[in-house]
Amino acid sequence: MYSFTIITTQPTVNLQAIHNRMPVILAREDYARWLGEEADPRDLLCPFPAAPMRMWPVSARVNKHENDDPAVVEPIEVATDAA
């Protein structure tokens, strides 16, 4: 049987306005440690640094699995309330 788990942690400062948690993201140099080839990896269960991450608004189409095309992650214009 194949399976996977998404482990979450507290969000970085730039993600706090969007959600109260984020996936744990591993740096490439931590892969071997995570996979059990080195010391205990529990300290890797922390927010990934915000600086190398990029973010942009995307369409709500991303919320439906049947929308399986590259356009779901293309940036969109966010409407501003002009009133």
Side-chain angles (χ1 to χ4, degrees):
M1 174 174 56
Y2 293 99
S3 67
F4 69 93
T5 301
I6 298 174
I7 301 172
T8 60
T9 188
Q10 298 86 14
T12 57
V13 173
N14 57 339
L15 294 177
Q16 286 176 351
I18 298 171
H19 209 282
N20 65 350
R21 64 183 188 268
M22 65 179 277
V24 170
I25 302 170
L26 299 177
R28 187 174 302 275
E29 59 268 16
D30 294 325
Y31 290 178
R33 194 161 148 228
W34 180 256
L35 294 172
E37 298 170 18
E38 295 181 20
D40 185 349
R42 283 183 279 183
D43 63 303
L44 299 176
L45 300 175
C46 60
F48 192 76
M53 290 194 283
R54 298 181 319 176
M55 46 191 284
W56 55 87
V58 296
S59 164
R61 291 184 63 239
V62 76
N63 296 327
K64 294 186 178 179
H65 68 87
E66 59 266 12
N67 296 328
D68 188 15
D69 62 86
V72 297
V73 294
E74 290 179 3
I76 62 167
E77 290 293 323
V78 177
T80 57
D81 194 10

